Amino acid sequence: MLRERLRTVGVRAACSLASSGILPARLFFTVVLLFLKLLTHTALRLPQHRLRLRSQQSPQSGLGESRFLGHLLRTVEQACRMTEQLYTVASDSETTGEDKSQMSFPDVAIGIDIGTSNCSVAVWTGHQVELLKNTRNQKGMRSYVMFKDDTLSAGVTGGATQEHGHEERDILSGSAIFNMKRLIGRMDTDEVVQASKNLPFLVQTLGIGVRPFIAALVNNMWRSTTPEEVLAIFLLELKALVEMHLKHPVRNAVLTIPVAFSRFQQTRIERACAMAGLHVLRLMPEPTSIALLYAQQQQQLLHDNMGSGIEKIALIFNMGAGYCDAAVTATAGGVSQIRALSGSTVGGEDILQNVMHHLLPDFDSLYAGQTMDRIKSIGLLRMATQDVIHKLATQEHVEINVDLGGGHKVSKILGRGEFEKVNQAIFEKCEGIIKQCLADAKLTPEDINDVILVGGCSKIPKIRSVVLGLCKKDDSYGGIDPLEAAVSGAALEGAIASGVTDPSGSLDLLTIQATPMNLGIRADGGNFAAIIPRNTAVPARRDMMFTTTHDNQTEALIAVYEGEGKQAEENHLLGYFKITDITAAAKGTVEINVCMDIDATNVLRVFAGVVKPQGQAIPPFIEVRMPTLDDGHGWCGQALAKMFGSTLDLAAVPKKLHP
Amino acid sequence: PAPALRRRRRRGSVRARAGAGRGGGRGESPYEVLGVSPSAAPDEIKRAYRRLALKFHPDVNKEANAQEKFLRIKHAYNTLMNSESRSKYASGNTDSSRTYGKSRAPSADEEEQFYGFGD
């Protein structure tokens, strides 16, 4: 039984790696063979065998591949141990009801909150949502992967060190990659990537719209990796942790993502999950998973005869280390309707960098090169600054004394007022996000019943006063843990979307999602014609009519974009395709229908075709799942413009007005 | 009692109201889709929408045509919640396909449209 299981696990893992493109075909077979060979050996001889195979492997394969294989093998070993556990548990623990109920949920998706700084995982146990703890008894685990010699270890198991106090220092040693969530799916022209060059690991940019080069320090050498790979390694460890707890394999997951994530970034998250052997059931914007948890609590109140059952409007503000988002939701009867969403790439990391630059104004000129001294100094300053920011949440003044080495010292007393002035631009951005959200939902502060403040930055007094002030409230909603809400909501969604029902009705819940960004195509020159406007309830389907811009134009380009800009080029290009064989006719007489469809799992499909004139041989409509683009969005748009100019342009047909 | 894993949700009597196919949906009034009376107050319409959403939203209803059904429910809801489109509806324009097709620039409040592709 154990062998059967391990074989399936191994082949499946190898398949998913091969299909996700991380594993070349030649290695695919090696991995499958490896698993089959592993099975023929006893548990006792397994480690030696593993080592031998690994050393054979390394010379022909690239460093990254062998590293990943090494990690894969370790995970398989863990899985092996885990499966053995499963075997004993299944035969021994007939009496424990809880284990049995967990055993009957093999397909229920787990909830994962991958934060820029911290990560957590939760599962539906059959009665409630439970956050899992790692071996160090932490529910919130630091998000990083440590690169040391041949071994990789993620923050799940506290890979950097066994001593908690030293973890932060090791993370900042240059050997760990963190802030993956800020870097994933971004090009080197992105300002977030540019700002990441202050981090202790290597972020190299060329500024031409390609992926940045990212590397960790291993034995005094920069060893390259990618945000997807780092995230995959982290998720592998996380998955092993969950399987250890649940005592059965886990396949499906619901992950929370920032509202500001583009569809392209979402595909990168899905890819990292595939590399880790996880299937993404849903990617939930963080505030919407909190909205689901809120809907459950409101239902519970109603059950206990403490709630009124009247629709309640909540504003959810979530700010972590990397992102900030807001949502307005209308909740009643267990259903939370997302009325508006807005978000931005601004978070605790920006606050940290601002304060670091404030404490050491010549920071950039002092630490220009990527030397060991620089890494150490930046690490020391970063830790001291983090500490100051945390203390300023409860203290009015904090004294800072840190020796950065090389004759540089920072000695200062930082007051809360000064801290707030330094970060004024960030607080203004937060205000902007909330104002936009309220305006989009067509609500005033008086309409809001509850203000829900979550995320690490919600502890900052100024953030609280900004949000509560805008909503004209004295205090925030108290029933939600600011650091556990997102992952709990994700686990709830995981159970609901997996088809679990609860006799007590505690899962009769629903979040009706809304689109965070406009979706449309390029038309009327370089303009952006939004077909599905932002904050449309999902699932959604809308269409628009377009026409040709030249006489006898037989081809048209459908370039699909996502974003808020009025010009197409200001937005994210998701993909493009051509409509061909249009019947030659005077410009403006042809009618081309473009329809966009977002299903409940948030998959976007674009349908397009000619509806007028209906000739003899009318070409079939084209259906394209978006995004189709992989890299270098900016380049593609420019290349298309250069190649075709305006020859394939379309013009939007204004809809006829009502009589 | 341990809760059971069910692929399909319970289906209530509201199912018939939501209509079985696209063809049937065209002729139905938004009131019929939501199962409310033409004099229903906005609160009543909202309640009906939520109740139906809990049964037909594709997140909770795993049947193949759940999305189509939910889109129709959502469409009826949006039509009735928008005072402009509701009054237009009430003023006797019963050719729903025409009403639905001729609106101005889209806004999030407006309704979805239904075409014969996209299943």
Side-chain angles (χ1 to χ4, degrees):
Chain A
M1 179 206 170
L2 175 106
R3 267 185 200 183
E4 243 348 86
R5 252 216 141 85
L6 200 59
R7 186 177 300 153
T8 355
V9 168
V11 175
R12 205 191 300 136
C15 284
S16 68
L17 286 171
S19 64
S20 63
I22 185 170
L23 211 59
R26 69 190 158 96
L27 276 177
F28 170 72
F29 291 105
T30 330
V31 173
V32 174
L33 266 177
L34 216 69
F35 276 107
L36 295 178
K37 277 188 183 177
L38 276 174
L39 296 173
T40 61
H41 287 256
T42 60
L44 209 71
R45 278 155 61 196
L46 191 123
Q48 291 150 355
H49 192 72
R50 174 174 72 89
L51 281 176
R52 195 162 55 78
L53 273 164
R54 206 157 90 194
S55 53
Q56 284 174 348
Q57 195 62 53
S58 304
Q60 333 138 353
S61 56
L63 271 173
E65 286 159 4
S66 76
R67 233 182 313 131
F68 200 86
L69 271 179
H71 192 80
L72 186 71
L73 279 163
R74 281 200 300 124
T75 313
V76 167
E77 257 183 85
Q78 268 175 358
C80 180
R81 260 180 264 137
M82 179 206 88
T83 326
E84 276 172 290
Q85 251 176 15
L86 169 75
Y87 198 69
T88 28
V89 167
S91 55
D92 288 355
S93 63
E94 300 278 303
T95 44
T96 58
E98 203 177 299
D99 279 342
K100 265 206 291 190
S101 74
Q102 285 182 358
M103 294 290 289
S104 63
F105 284 109
D107 276 341
V108 177
I110 59 170
I112 300 175
D113 174 23
I114 18 151
T116 307
S117 158
N118 286 287
C119 178
S120 48
V121 60
V123 295
W124 173 256
T125 62
H127 321 279
Q128 59 184 12
V129 166
E130 186 190 322
L131 265 78
L132 300 186
K133 289 178 182 168
N134 64 7
T135 47
R136 298 194 302 176
N137 220 24
Q138 296 169 313
K139 284 183 190 168
M141 305 156 228
R142 289 283 277 122
S143 308
Y144 68 91
V145 168
M146 189 80 195
F147 291 67
K148 257 183 190 167
D149 299 326
D150 231 4
T151 57
L152 301 170
S153 44
V156 176
T157 50
T161 171
Q162 289 307 307
E163 285 172 79
H164 180 57
H166 290 164
E167 187 176 24
E168 208 59 37
R169 197 192 58 197
D170 283 5
I171 293 172
L172 299 173
S173 66
S175 303
I177 305 278
F178 55 94
N179 278 11
M180 301 81 100
K181 201 176 168 186
R182 294 262 281 194
L183 293 165
I184 201 160
R186 288 187 192 276
M187 299 304 138
D188 64 357
T189 39
D190 197 309
E191 57 183 32
V192 176
V193 174
Q194 294 293 332
S196 299
K197 286 157 95 174
N198 278 334
L199 300 176
F201 56 89
L202 185 65
V203 178
Q204 214 180 63
T205 60
L206 292 167
I208 54 165
V210 293
R211 286 155 156 263
F213 176 74
I214 291 164
L217 197 60
V218 184
N219 293 334
N220 272 327
M221 254 175 59
W222 290 115
R223 187 177 281 178
S224 80
T225 182
T226 61
E228 287 93 328
E229 191 186 47
V230 174
L231 192 60
I233 293 161
F234 188 89
L235 287 167
L236 259 179
E237 250 184 43
L238 200 66
K239 183 170 175 262
L241 172 81
V242 178
E243 290 177 338
M244 220 94 80
H245 272 272
L246 296 184
K247 303 180 183 71
H248 64 70
V250 166
R251 277 184 305 171
N252 297 323
V254 172
L255 286 90
T256 57
I257 50 162
V259 171
F261 254 25
S262 69
R263 280 183 179 267
F264 174 69
Q265 285 177 299
Q266 293 176 23
T267 66
R268 301 297 90 186
I269 297 282
E270 280 167 347
R271 178 155 179 181
C273 285
M275 282 157 82
L278 281 171
H279 170 248
V280 175
L281 202 60
R282 292 278 190 290
L283 290 178
M284 262 187 131
E286 271 148 39
T288 70
S289 87
I290 293 150
L292 187 62
L293 187 66
Y294 177 73
Q296 191 198 34
Q297 293 186 349
Q298 294 305 308
Q299 273 306 82
Q300 193 57 47
L301 284 178
L302 195 62
H303 258 263
D304 301 343
N305 285 321
M306 287 162 73
S308 57
I310 297 171
E311 178 181 80
K312 284 181 100 174
I313 307 285
L315 181 123
I316 300 163
F317 183 81
N318 170 46
M319 189 170 179
Y323 296 86
C324 159
D325 13 61
V328 169
T329 173
T331 306
V335 179
S336 162
Q337 283 173 265
I338 304 298
R339 298 273 287 265
L341 280 175
S342 57
S344 155
T345 314
V346 56
E349 177 68 33
D350 300 290
I351 294 177
L352 184 71
Q353 301 241 358
N354 279 349
V355 176
M356 277 167 75
H357 280 91
H358 179 67
L359 291 174
L360 194 65
D362 40 4
F363 179 89
D364 287 325
S365 58
L366 273 180
Y367 301 114
Q370 198 92 1
T371 63
M372 293 303 288
D373 288 347
R374 171 193 183 265
I375 293 169
K376 208 175 159 204
S377 303
I378 290 182
L380 288 168
L381 184 61
R382 225 183 130 89
M383 273 195 283
T385 311
Q386 265 168 359
D387 189 50
V388 169
I389 295 172
H390 288 155
K391 283 183 179 156
L392 277 173
T394 49
Q395 299 172 19
E396 283 293 331
H397 297 276
V398 175
E399 193 179 341
I400 174 168
N401 268 308
V402 58
D403 187 348
L404 302 176
H408 300 294
K409 272 191 186 139
V410 175
S411 298
K412 198 176 160 60
I413 293 175
L414 188 66
R416 199 182 275 173
E418 200 177 342
F419 166 80
E420 286 167 3
K421 213 173 141 202
V422 168
N423 290 300
Q424 200 181 342
I426 291 175
F427 300 132
E428 279 167 8
K429 262 193 187 168
C430 295
E431 273 187 37
I433 289 166
I434 294 167
K435 281 181 183 161
Q436 191 203 321
C437 211
L438 282 172
D440 283 356
K442 299 192 182 70
L443 292 172
T444 61
E446 285 75 19
D447 297 317
I448 297 169
N449 300 101
D450 284 315
V451 176
I452 304 173
L453 275 165
V454 287
C457 288
S458 67
K459 290 184 177 143
I460 296 173
K462 180 69 179 176
I463 296 278
R464 298 187 67 85
S465 69
V466 162
V467 182
L468 291 171
L470 278 172
C471 299
K472 298 186 181 163
K473 291 283 173 299
D474 295 326
D475 207 356
S476 59
Y477 178 73
I480 273 178
D481 183 311
L483 300 180
E484 299 181 0
V487 74
S488 304
L492 273 181
E493 174 76 11
I496 294 164
S498 303
V500 181
T501 55
D502 189 56
S504 69
S506 64
L507 281 183
D508 287 346
L509 306 170
L510 179 68
T511 297
I512 301 175
Q513 297 281 355
T515 53
M517 278 179 254
N518 293 326
L519 286 160
I521 68 165
R522 199 171 82 110
D524 304 314
N527 287 341
F528 175 60
I531 297 178
I532 299 185
R534 70 165 185 263
N535 299 322
T536 301
V538 176
R541 184 182 305 145
R542 278 166 189 258
D543 76 332
M544 250 172 108
M545 281 303 180
F546 294 88
T547 188
T548 48
T549 55
H550 304 283
D551 288 335
N552 299 323
Q553 182 179 340
T554 55
E555 291 190 333
L557 185 73
I558 310 289
V560 180
Y561 288 86
E562 166 188 65
E564 304 308 314
K566 289 209 184 310
Q567 295 292 308
E569 282 301 312
E570 294 165 20
N571 301 313
H572 297 276
L573 179 63
L574 297 178
Y576 43 82
F577 57 93
K578 267 197 312 189
I579 296 183
T580 56
D581 302 309
I582 301 169
T583 312
K587 66 177 178 187
T589 55
V590 175
E591 279 185 15
I592 291 167
N593 185 279
V594 180
C595 174
M596 291 190 165
D597 180 289
I598 303 173
D599 71 10
T601 60
N602 199 30
V603 170
L604 170 66
R605 287 186 177 80
V606 179
F607 305 86
V610 179
V611 288
K612 210 180 113 188
Q614 296 267 5
Q616 288 291 310
I618 190 150
F621 263 67
I622 296 178
E623 173 188 334
V624 185
R625 187 178 161 157
M626 293 283 166
T628 56
L629 280 185
D630 211 38
D631 263 346
H633 320 39
W635 276 15
C636 284
Q638 287 158 22
L640 286 172
K642 199 175 162 192
M643 188 79 171
F644 300 108
S646 65
T647 55
L648 302 182
D649 269 6
L650 284 175
V653 178
K655 294 211 173 180
K656 287 154 211 152
L657 297 174
H658 285 286
Chain B
L5 180 74
R6 260 179 274 164
R7 280 274 151 227
R8 283 176 185 186
R9 282 232 150 183
R10 254 168 306 153
R11 269 165 283 144
S13 56
V14 272
R15 190 190 178 191
R17 288 184 193 142
R22 187 180 295 110
R26 281 272 167 133
E28 264 180 329
S29 83
Y31 299 107
E32 282 167 337
V33 172
L34 293 177
V36 294
S37 76
S39 58
D43 278 351
E44 226 173 300
I45 294 166
K46 280 184 187 175
R47 256 201 308 279
Y49 173 59
R50 290 203 181 93
R51 205 180 57 239
L52 291 166
L54 263 178
K55 290 199 190 298
F56 295 106
H57 191 284
D59 264 8
V60 290
N61 187 318
K62 302 297 173 191
E63 282 173 51
N65 57 349
Q67 172 163 346
E68 292 306 319
K69 282 186 195 163
F70 179 72
L71 280 174
R72 185 154 44 248
I73 293 160
K74 187 178 108 173
H75 170 59
Y77 169 74
N78 284 339
T79 308
L80 296 188
M81 286 313 285
N82 180 329
S83 53
E84 198 187 332
S85 58
R86 184 175 182 177
S87 63
K88 227 162 265 155
Y89 195 84
S91 68
N93 189 347
T94 49
D95 183 354
S96 56
S97 62
R98 223 189 82 209
T99 316
Y100 296 176
K102 308 280 162 61
S103 46
R104 297 164 317 280
S107 83
D109 287 344
E110 279 177 53
E111 65 277 0
E112 241 70 22
Q113 302 185 8
F114 295 85
Y115 282 83
F117 46 80
D119 279 65

mmCIF file of all heavy atoms in Angstrom, chain A residues 183-204:
data_model
loop_
_atom_site.group_PDB
_atom_site.id
_atom_site.type_symbol
_atom_site.label_atom_id
_atom_site.label_comp_id
_atom_site.label_asym_id
_atom_site.label_seq_id
_atom_site.Cartn_x
_atom_site.Cartn_y
_atom_site.Cartn_z
ATOM 1 N N LEU A 183 8.160 40.462 -5.694
ATOM 2 C CA LEU A 183 8.959 40.325 -6.909
ATOM 3 C C LEU A 183 8.285 39.488 -7.990
ATOM 4 O O LEU A 183 8.574 39.651 -9.176
ATOM 5 C CB LEU A 183 10.314 39.691 -6.560
ATOM 6 C CG LEU A 183 11.233 40.566 -5.701
ATOM 7 C CD1 LEU A 183 12.370 39.750 -5.116
ATOM 8 C CD2 LEU A 183 11.784 41.722 -6.530
ATOM 9 N N ILE A 184 7.399 38.603 -7.591
ATOM 10 C CA ILE A 184 6.864 37.618 -8.536
ATOM 11 C C ILE A 184 6.085 38.296 -9.672
ATOM 12 O O ILE A 184 5.291 39.209 -9.449
ATOM 13 C CB ILE A 184 6.012 36.552 -7.791
ATOM 14 C CG1 ILE A 184 5.888 35.289 -8.642
ATOM 15 C CG2 ILE A 184 4.649 37.091 -7.374
ATOM 16 C CD1 ILE A 184 5.512 34.055 -7.857
ATOM 17 N N GLY A 185 6.380 37.865 -10.895
ATOM 18 C CA GLY A 185 5.658 38.365 -12.065
ATOM 19 C C GLY A 185 5.912 39.830 -12.383
ATOM 20 O O GLY A 185 5.086 40.462 -13.025
ATOM 21 N N ARG A 186 7.031 40.377 -11.941
ATOM 22 C CA ARG A 186 7.337 41.784 -12.238
ATOM 23 C C ARG A 186 8.578 41.872 -13.117
ATOM 24 O O ARG A 186 9.498 41.080 -12.994
ATOM 25 C CB ARG A 186 7.596 42.565 -10.949
ATOM 26 C CG ARG A 186 6.347 42.797 -10.165
ATOM 27 C CD ARG A 186 6.612 43.727 -8.988
ATOM 28 N NE ARG A 186 5.459 43.699 -8.101
ATOM 29 C CZ ARG A 186 4.376 44.442 -8.281
ATOM 30 N NH1 ARG A 186 4.313 45.285 -9.286
ATOM 31 N NH2 ARG A 186 3.364 44.338 -7.447
ATOM 32 N N MET A 187 8.573 42.881 -13.972
ATOM 33 C CA MET A 187 9.699 43.083 -14.867
ATOM 34 C C MET A 187 10.699 44.050 -14.223
ATOM 35 O O MET A 187 10.375 44.728 -13.254
ATOM 36 C CB MET A 187 9.198 43.649 -16.205
ATOM 37 C CG MET A 187 8.238 42.705 -16.906
ATOM 38 S SD MET A 187 8.966 41.078 -17.169
ATOM 39 C CE MET A 187 7.599 40.016 -16.753
ATOM 40 N N ASP A 188 11.880 44.133 -14.804
ATOM 41 C CA ASP A 188 12.926 44.933 -14.155
ATOM 42 C C ASP A 188 12.739 46.439 -14.324
ATOM 43 O O ASP A 188 13.523 47.227 -13.811
ATOM 44 C CB ASP A 188 14.321 44.488 -14.620
ATOM 45 C CG ASP A 188 14.538 44.724 -16.101
ATOM 46 O OD1 ASP A 188 13.596 45.183 -16.779
ATOM 47 O OD2 ASP A 188 15.647 44.441 -16.588
ATOM 48 N N THR A 189 11.686 46.838 -15.050
ATOM 49 C CA THR A 189 11.384 48.259 -15.151
ATOM 50 C C THR A 189 10.434 48.695 -14.035
ATOM 51 O O THR A 189 10.219 49.878 -13.814
ATOM 52 C CB THR A 189 10.714 48.566 -16.509
ATOM 53 O OG1 THR A 189 9.820 47.497 -16.814
ATOM 54 C CG2 THR A 189 11.729 48.691 -17.614
ATOM 55 N N ASP A 190 9.880 47.717 -13.339
ATOM 56 C CA ASP A 190 8.888 47.977 -12.291
ATOM 57 C C ASP A 190 9.547 48.662 -11.091
ATOM 58 O O ASP A 190 10.617 48.259 -10.648
ATOM 59 C CB ASP A 190 8.301 46.622 -11.865
ATOM 60 C CG ASP A 190 7.007 46.768 -11.113
ATOM 61 O OD1 ASP A 190 6.976 47.561 -10.149
ATOM 62 O OD2 ASP A 190 6.046 46.078 -11.472
ATOM 63 N N GLU A 191 8.898 49.695 -10.566
ATOM 64 C CA GLU A 191 9.514 50.417 -9.450
ATOM 65 C C GLU A 191 9.609 49.574 -8.179
ATOM 66 O O GLU A 191 10.491 49.801 -7.348
ATOM 67 C CB GLU A 191 8.792 51.737 -9.172
ATOM 68 C CG GLU A 191 7.308 51.600 -8.887
ATOM 69 C CD GLU A 191 6.631 52.945 -8.685
ATOM 70 O OE1 GLU A 191 7.093 53.926 -9.323
ATOM 71 O OE2 GLU A 191 5.675 53.010 -7.907
ATOM 72 N N VAL A 192 8.725 48.587 -8.050
ATOM 73 C CA VAL A 192 8.811 47.707 -6.883
ATOM 74 C C VAL A 192 10.090 46.872 -6.954
ATOM 75 O O VAL A 192 10.762 46.642 -5.948
ATOM 76 C CB VAL A 192 7.571 46.779 -6.807
ATOM 77 C CG1 VAL A 192 7.702 45.799 -5.659
ATOM 78 C CG2 VAL A 192 6.307 47.609 -6.652
ATOM 79 N N VAL A 193 10.449 46.454 -8.159
ATOM 80 C CA VAL A 193 11.692 45.697 -8.334
ATOM 81 C C VAL A 193 12.880 46.615 -8.068
ATOM 82 O O VAL A 193 13.843 46.232 -7.384
ATOM 83 C CB VAL A 193 11.762 45.092 -9.756
ATOM 84 C CG1 VAL A 193 13.113 44.430 -9.991
ATOM 85 C CG2 VAL A 193 10.635 44.087 -9.961
ATOM 86 N N GLN A 194 12.796 47.835 -8.570
ATOM 87 C CA GLN A 194 13.881 48.800 -8.340
ATOM 88 C C GLN A 194 14.108 49.021 -6.847
ATOM 89 O O GLN A 194 15.234 49.028 -6.381
ATOM 90 C CB GLN A 194 13.545 50.139 -9.030
ATOM 91 C CG GLN A 194 13.499 50.084 -10.551
ATOM 92 C CD GLN A 194 14.868 49.829 -11.175
ATOM 93 O OE1 GLN A 194 15.887 50.182 -10.594
ATOM 94 N NE2 GLN A 194 14.883 49.189 -12.342
ATOM 95 N N ALA A 195 12.998 49.144 -6.101
ATOM 96 C CA ALA A 195 13.110 49.384 -4.655
ATOM 97 C C ALA A 195 13.664 48.159 -3.937
ATOM 98 O O ALA A 195 14.187 48.265 -2.835
ATOM 99 C CB ALA A 195 11.746 49.754 -4.087
ATOM 100 N N SER A 196 13.551 46.990 -4.555
ATOM 101 C CA SER A 196 14.015 45.753 -3.922
ATOM 102 C C SER A 196 15.532 45.615 -3.999
ATOM 103 O O SER A 196 16.098 44.670 -3.455
ATOM 104 C CB SER A 196 13.355 44.543 -4.584
ATOM 105 O OG SER A 196 11.956 44.619 -4.439
ATOM 106 N N LYS A 197 16.179 46.543 -4.707
ATOM 107 C CA LYS A 197 17.637 46.434 -4.813
ATOM 108 C C LYS A 197 18.335 46.757 -3.505
ATOM 109 O O LYS A 197 19.539 46.558 -3.373
ATOM 110 C CB LYS A 197 18.129 47.342 -5.946
ATOM 111 C CG LYS A 197 17.780 46.744 -7.306
ATOM 112 C CD LYS A 197 17.725 47.776 -8.384
ATOM 113 C CE LYS A 197 19.063 47.864 -9.113
ATOM 114 N NZ LYS A 197 18.944 48.792 -10.263
ATOM 115 N N ASN A 198 17.588 47.266 -2.524
ATOM 116 C CA ASN A 198 18.151 47.518 -1.198
ATOM 117 C C ASN A 198 18.165 46.274 -0.321
ATOM 118 O O ASN A 198 18.599 46.326 0.807
ATOM 119 C CB ASN A 198 17.307 48.572 -0.480
ATOM 120 C CG ASN A 198 17.713 49.949 -0.915
ATOM 121 O OD1 ASN A 198 18.853 50.144 -1.319
ATOM 122 N ND2 ASN A 198 16.792 50.896 -0.843
ATOM 123 N N LEU A 199 17.627 45.177 -0.823
ATOM 124 C CA LEU A 199 17.537 43.967 -0.007
ATOM 125 C C LEU A 199 18.899 43.280 0.036
ATOM 126 O O LEU A 199 19.731 43.490 -0.849
ATOM 127 C CB LEU A 199 16.467 43.035 -0.587
ATOM 128 C CG LEU A 199 15.054 43.629 -0.648
ATOM 129 C CD1 LEU A 199 14.091 42.675 -1.314
ATOM 130 C CD2 LEU A 199 14.565 43.986 0.748
ATOM 131 N N PRO A 200 19.130 42.442 1.061
ATOM 132 C CA PRO A 200 20.449 41.845 1.200
ATOM 133 C C PRO A 200 20.808 40.827 0.105
ATOM 134 O O PRO A 200 21.973 40.603 -0.144
ATOM 135 C CB PRO A 200 20.412 41.156 2.564
ATOM 136 C CG PRO A 200 19.051 41.308 3.091
ATOM 137 C CD PRO A 200 18.256 42.179 2.202
ATOM 138 N N PHE A 201 19.819 40.226 -0.536
ATOM 139 C CA PHE A 201 20.167 39.311 -1.629
ATOM 140 C C PHE A 201 20.262 40.114 -2.923
ATOM 141 O O PHE A 201 19.963 41.305 -2.950
ATOM 142 C CB PHE A 201 19.166 38.155 -1.733
ATOM 143 C CG PHE A 201 17.730 38.562 -1.886
ATOM 144 C CD1 PHE A 201 17.189 38.762 -3.145
ATOM 145 C CD2 PHE A 201 16.914 38.741 -0.772
ATOM 146 C CE1 PHE A 201 15.866 39.128 -3.287
ATOM 147 C CE2 PHE A 201 15.595 39.115 -0.906
ATOM 148 C CZ PHE A 201 15.062 39.314 -2.165
ATOM 149 N N LEU A 202 20.710 39.453 -3.992
ATOM 150 C CA LEU A 202 21.001 40.184 -5.228
ATOM 151 C C LEU A 202 19.765 40.343 -6.107
ATOM 152 O O LEU A 202 19.106 39.360 -6.440
ATOM 153 C CB LEU A 202 22.096 39.439 -6.011
ATOM 154 C CG LEU A 202 22.610 40.142 -7.270
ATOM 155 C CD1 LEU A 202 23.329 41.436 -6.919
ATOM 156 C CD2 LEU A 202 23.541 39.234 -8.060
ATOM 157 N N VAL A 203 19.448 41.580 -6.442
ATOM 158 C CA VAL A 203 18.392 41.860 -7.419
ATOM 159 C C VAL A 203 19.043 42.743 -8.482
ATOM 160 O O VAL A 203 19.357 43.895 -8.231
ATOM 161 C CB VAL A 203 17.181 42.584 -6.781
ATOM 162 C CG1 VAL A 203 16.126 42.891 -7.842
ATOM 163 C CG2 VAL A 203 16.578 41.753 -5.659
ATOM 164 N N GLN A 204 19.307 42.158 -9.634
ATOM 165 C CA GLN A 204 19.989 42.892 -10.694
ATOM 166 C C GLN A 204 18.990 43.240 -11.784
ATOM 167 O O GLN A 204 18.196 42.384 -12.184
ATOM 168 C CB GLN A 204 21.080 41.995 -11.277
ATOM 169 C CG GLN A 204 22.307 42.719 -11.730
ATOM 170 C CD GLN A 204 23.327 41.763 -12.289
ATOM 171 O OE1 GLN A 204 23.078 41.103 -13.291
ATOM 172 N NE2 GLN A 204 24.467 41.657 -11.632
#
